[in-house]
Amino acid sequence: MCGCPAKVRPHLETPDLRDGRVALPNTVGVRTAVPESTERGKTHSWNVALERRLPFNLSVDVAYVGNRVRGGLTSININNAQTLGGGGLDRPYLVSHGRQLPITIFTPYPKFDYNALQVGITRPLTDGLLLKGHYTFSSTWSRGTSLDGSVYDAGPQYELPTPEGQERNWMRAGGSRPHTLTMSFVYQLPWQGTGFRQNLVKTLVSDWQINGIFTAFSGTPFTVTADDTTLNTPGNLQTADLVGAVTKIGDIGADGAHYDPSAWAQPEGVRFGNTLPNQFRGPGGWNLDFSVFRTFPLGGTHRLEARIEATNVTDTPKFGDPTSDLTSGDFMHVFSLNNAFAERQVGLALRYSF
């Protein structure tokens, strides 16, 4: 029989449930549904297309594509400052509950408009050449998505319950590009000639196939931000004033600014800057992927395929958006690359099938 002292269990403080309510600790985030969460928004999509056969075995199709979303569901912060210059004390739940952290509700808010003119060209494989291309000119605007195009987790950047604040939420969709061109081709190397020498070269050179995909695109939107100290409106992003013409210098990295920084200035007073979110566009670019391959019959069902593939075959860099914080020493300098494209990569492959 042990004479050890009994273990003392610590007392755990439990919530007071007598009134049916439990106070939320101010160190804990919260997201909740509201009655409007059961309301489903509407998506409208429509398109009209016309296709025409042209000489030289070409066909062209022209289409208008539209998409509209109203009342999609997302999270909105309802504990932001409610008036310009109101400061942290202007949070509605700070006065009533002493809460400074966001309180997000799941509610119908997003709005999305997409309109595009799409032009395609097709040439089926004829005389060893196939072409397939597409150009899109589009306009994409949204509300209730973040500046980079993803869905907000804690509400938009401009949540003032004023017409000005709500108007600034309607912006170019992050990641949208007004111009995109893609052209792909397949070319079977031709050969003409007679005689032993010509036939020997033909044996080595013919039956190789060349493939390529060329892409050209405009830049994505970015926001020029400024110091928000004088704005004093927590939860709302301050933008810069546009005070001059936006001039593209084109320098990259330490060579200099990509756009002339003097076009923007710090707003004075308790107001938003006169520029809007996602008003400006970063660098565009172009890319070429290229491959050649040939299949060698080995008799029966045995075949050997040789392939050479290269992405970004010209090794041309594609740059990201410039540093867009007015307070940064690197303002309007480009130091990032477009992550969708890597440096040139070449692959060699042999495939044996039987």
Side-chain angles (χ1 to χ4, degrees):
M1 187 172 183
C2 179
C4 301
K7 292 183 179 180
V8 179
R9 295 183 178 179
H11 176 70
L12 299 178
E13 196 70 33
T14 58
D16 186 354
L17 304 177
R18 289 175 295 181
D19 62 354
R21 295 175 179 267
V22 177
L24 180 70
N26 287 327
T27 57
V28 177
V30 60
R31 179 185 301 176
T32 185
V34 293
E36 292 81 8
S37 302
T38 59
E39 299 178 9
R40 294 292 180 178
K42 295 181 179 180
T43 299
H44 303 274
S45 299
W46 57 93
N47 61 79
V48 177
L50 174 65
E51 185 173 0
R52 175 77 175 180
R53 178 64 63 88
L54 301 177
F56 307 106
N57 206 22
L58 291 174
S59 63
V60 174
D61 60 271
V62 180
Y64 164 69
V65 178
N67 196 326
R68 174 173 295 179
V69 176
R70 293 293 184 270
L73 295 175
T74 192
S75 296
I76 299 294
N77 180 18
I78 60 174
N79 198 31
N80 266 359
Q82 300 295 292
T83 56
L84 278 174
L89 296 178
D90 195 42
R91 293 186 176 97
Y93 290 89
L94 178 63
V95 177
S96 59
H97 294 80
R99 183 175 179 82
Q100 298 188 45
L101 294 180
I103 297 178
T104 58
I105 62 172
F106 199 53
T107 186
Y109 182 78
K111 177 181 176 182
F112 180 87
D113 280 357
Y114 173 79
N115 295 279
L117 172 66
Q118 300 179 354
V119 180
I121 183 171
T122 302
R123 184 183 191 270
L125 186 61
T126 306
D127 298 327
L129 177 63
L130 179 148
L131 295 174
K132 182 73 175 180
H134 210 85
Y135 166 73
T136 300
F137 172 61
S138 63
S139 173
T140 312
W141 288 72
S142 66
R143 181 187 72 183
T145 56
S146 64
L147 299 179
D148 64 0
S150 58
V151 176
Y152 278 112
D153 185 46
Q157 298 289 327
Y158 305 94
E159 297 185 75
L160 294 175
T162 61
E164 178 191 19
Q166 293 301 313
E167 182 180 353
R168 293 173 70 88
N169 262 340
W170 182 239
M171 66 186 78
R172 289 193 180 104
S176 61
R177 303 181 188 275
H179 302 282
T180 303
L181 169 67
T182 301
M183 175 64 72
S184 61
F185 62 90
V186 176
Y187 184 54
Q188 189 81 29
L189 289 178
W191 181 263
Q192 292 181 354
T194 60
F196 174 77
R197 184 176 180 181
Q198 287 85 349
N199 288 333
L200 177 62
V201 176
K202 176 182 178 182
T203 302
L204 298 175
V205 176
S206 64
D207 295 329
W208 285 93
Q209 183 172 297
I210 300 175
N211 307 297
I213 300 178
F214 174 80
T215 304
F217 48 87
S218 53
T220 55
F222 69 91
T223 305
V224 179
T225 60
D227 184 9
D228 63 357
T229 302
T230 57
L231 183 65
N232 194 24
T233 314
N236 290 265
L237 186 65
Q238 176 62 300
T239 59
D241 275 346
L242 185 63
V243 295
V246 178
T247 303
K248 181 179 179 180
I249 301 174
D251 289 337
I252 299 296
D255 291 341
H258 193 75
Y259 294 104
D260 185 358
S262 64
W264 294 272
Q266 174 67 39
E268 297 181 357
V270 184
R271 63 175 179 85
F272 287 123
N274 62 18
T275 60
L276 297 175
N278 283 348
Q279 181 172 340
F280 308 99
R281 291 194 178 275
W286 61 274
N287 182 74
L288 176 62
D289 296 336
F290 193 80
S291 68
V292 294
F293 69 91
R294 180 182 177 182
T295 300
F296 298 89
L298 300 179
T301 60
H302 297 262
R303 295 178 181 275
L304 181 66
E305 181 180 277
R307 181 182 293 267
I308 304 174
E309 298 177 315
T311 58
N312 190 8
V313 66
T314 60
D315 204 23
T316 305
K318 289 81 177 170
F319 298 105
D321 294 337
T323 302
S324 56
D325 182 358
L326 188 65
T327 64
S328 172
D330 295 325
F331 180 59
M332 285 300 147
H333 286 243
V334 173
F335 289 104
S336 63
L337 293 174
N338 187 329
N339 294 327
F341 299 92
E343 66 278 3
R344 178 171 55 211
Q345 299 182 17
V346 180
L348 306 177
L350 286 175
R351 179 185 178 187
Y352 173 68
S353 60
F354 57 92

